[in-house]
Amino acid sequence: MRGSSPTSCLERRSGWGRHRSRPCERKVMDNGETTTGPHAPALSVLDHGPVSSGAPLSAALTHSTELARLAERAGYRRYWVAEHHSRAWMASSSPAVLLAHVAAATSAIRVGSGALLLSNYSPLAVAEQFGMLEALHPGRIDLGLGRAAGADAVTAHALNPARIDFGEAFGQLLGFFHGTFPEDHPYRSVTAVPGYANVPLIHLLGSGTYSARLAGQLGLPFAHGGHFAAPNTAAAIEAYRSSFQPSAVLDAPYVMLSVGVVCAPTDDEAYAINKLARHNMIRGLSGVNEPFLSQGEIDRAGEQAAMSLGEAHYVDSVLDTHIVGGPDTVATGLTNLAASTGADELILATIIYGYEERLRSYALVAEAMGLDGTSERQPPAIADGHQVQVG
């Protein structure tokens, strides 16, 4: 079997570790460590690679590496990378490449895609890339899959002119991972090396109910994009739980929920950082394809972000659901969110100007939530020979 010790509320059984209970109860594990209590979810990091002005783009990638190291030291469960294209303010266009670097720069934390957008790739390429990552870092790789393009229509076509339906692509991906193509399938003779039998832990991600239901039917972990689609959270989680079928992966549903977070030493400072994030988001959505600006740059330029009423409503609807404030304010917000949704894991997305401010935000949250750098970091354990059946 691959992987290390079980997570809190996740136990191994023959062949596969399975999620057995939720909400979890505080108890002493065999190694003497304690698990989290009811409504005390695991915490993870979702990195969009925001690019700040005044430094080369490579600084954003260096910062992503430092963020993963901080997450590992602080006790976050996993570090995930988002995927976006043709945005000068997000350096997150190639998750597999960045994850290879981050996994080599860390030693224990799980790393993965949140999400890799399957329609942008050949399923064989994904199986080979993530199979390579799993072979290099056994038991540490997550493959979170999404259905969107993460780009405008022109960019999406440039990425993959031969796009196929997500369901077909997902079926092919599993076929390459497990060698389960039917005898008469044209890809029956193709072997994904080293993808075959080197299978990362697969999650399905979404902002609505389609991926939620599919994840439930397949018995896979589900992550809802609450940091940008919070109004859909309840419906998506209910769709997942109501459609869940126990599988070789999970005995019970495992809900992951992303949430936008800005934490600073005081509420007022966090509000100011969030106000700047709002301005930079508006710039990006209004077609200004540049790195995030500092407040000083905006003030000196006298810049006013222009946007339509629709854009303004969207930005405000997104940011209004984020948890912003000092450590106590954010800790209360996260605890209440976990209690109201029953989420097993919260994935924190902090998309702001300033690399040091972002590192500080994650560090303050870890301290406020009682992470100590020694908590169990593994999700449902994985084992050789895992297969997910589709159809």
Side-chain angles (χ1 to χ4, degrees):
M1 291 178 64
R2 297 198 301 267
S4 58
S5 54
T7 70
S8 48
C9 306
L10 299 170
E11 300 178 0
R12 287 193 185 280
R13 56 194 293 181
S14 60
W16 277 82
R18 293 190 176 187
H19 182 208
R20 290 176 177 267
S21 60
R22 191 197 56 79
C24 54
E25 298 176 354
R26 189 171 182 82
K27 62 181 181 179
V28 178
M29 305 295 286
D30 292 340
N31 61 4
E33 295 180 0
T34 56
T35 68
T36 54
H39 305 309
L43 297 181
S44 294
V45 171
L46 176 58
D47 186 5
H48 289 75
V51 180
S52 293
S53 63
L57 187 143
S58 60
L61 303 176
T62 299
H63 169 71
S64 288
T65 307
E66 289 305 312
L67 177 57
R69 288 172 172 153
L70 181 149
E72 181 168 77
R73 292 193 305 270
Y76 284 94
R77 175 164 292 176
R78 73 186 84 232
Y79 166 90
W80 274 6
V81 177
E83 179 181 344
H84 292 278
H85 298 274
S86 194
R87 293 184 180 179
W89 38 286
M90 285 186 179
S92 54
S93 61
S94 184
V97 176
L98 182 56
L99 290 173
H101 177 71
V102 166
T106 54
S107 61
I109 191 171
R110 293 193 69 91
V111 300
S113 56
L116 182 122
L117 305 176
L118 187 56
S119 61
N120 293 336
Y121 303 88
S122 151
L124 175 59
V126 174
E128 291 177 338
Q129 291 167 8
F130 277 78
M132 178 75 76
L133 289 171
E134 177 65 22
L136 289 169
H137 307 281
R140 291 183 58 204
I141 305 301
D142 294 334
L143 174 54
L145 296 170
R147 299 170 57 224
D152 61 85
V154 174
T155 303
H157 185 270
L159 283 165
N160 185 6
R163 306 170 80 83
I164 60 176
D165 175 75
F166 177 84
E168 180 181 354
F170 186 41
Q172 288 185 16
L173 178 65
L174 296 178
F176 288 124
F177 272 136
H178 304 303
T180 53
F181 286 112
E183 290 290 342
D184 59 349
H185 196 281
Y187 296 157
R188 174 71 179 183
S189 64
V190 178
T191 301
V193 180
Y196 174 66
N198 287 286
V199 186
L201 183 58
I202 296 175
H203 303 66
L204 293 185
L205 286 73
S207 58
T209 58
Y210 175 91
S211 293
R213 289 196 180 93
L214 181 59
Q217 292 163 2
L218 298 178
L220 294 174
F222 171 67
H224 176 67
H227 67 288
F228 68 95
N232 299 338
T233 297
I237 291 177
E238 172 58 26
Y240 172 59
R241 289 182 175 145
S242 64
S243 62
F244 184 84
Q245 298 293 320
S247 71
V249 183
L250 297 173
D251 279 340
Y254 191 81
V255 175
M256 303 161 70
L257 175 62
S258 65
V259 55
V261 173
V262 177
C263 190
T266 67
D267 284 353
D268 286 344
E269 184 175 353
Y271 299 154
I273 293 171
N274 197 52
K275 181 180 178 181
L276 176 59
R278 178 181 185 274
H279 187 105
N280 279 311
M281 183 181 292
I282 291 170
R283 292 179 82 246
L285 293 177
S286 299
V288 181
N289 202 13
E290 298 175 355
F292 285 170
L293 298 180
S294 68
Q295 188 63 57
E297 289 171 317
I298 291 171
D299 291 342
R300 286 191 296 273
E303 178 178 316
Q304 296 295 321
M307 62 178 175
S308 69
L309 290 177
E311 288 169 339
H313 176 74
Y314 172 74
V315 171
D316 289 338
S317 69
V318 168
L319 295 185
D320 283 350
T321 65
H322 289 189
I323 298 174
V324 180
D328 290 344
T329 300
V330 170
T332 299
L334 292 174
T335 301
N336 290 342
L337 179 64
S340 65
T341 62
D344 300 284
E345 186 170 339
L346 298 179
I347 312 174
L348 313 187
T350 301
I351 310 172
I352 60 175
Y353 172 89
Y355 301 128
E356 292 306 316
E357 289 83 354
R358 204 159 78 105
L359 288 173
R360 181 183 64 177
S361 180
Y362 282 106
L364 288 171
V365 172
E367 183 178 2
M369 293 295 287
L371 302 186
D372 61 8
T374 62
S375 60
E376 292 294 328
R377 298 189 184 96
Q378 301 298 318
I382 59 175
D384 293 321
H386 164 54
Q387 294 193 16
V388 177
Q389 301 297 327
V390 177

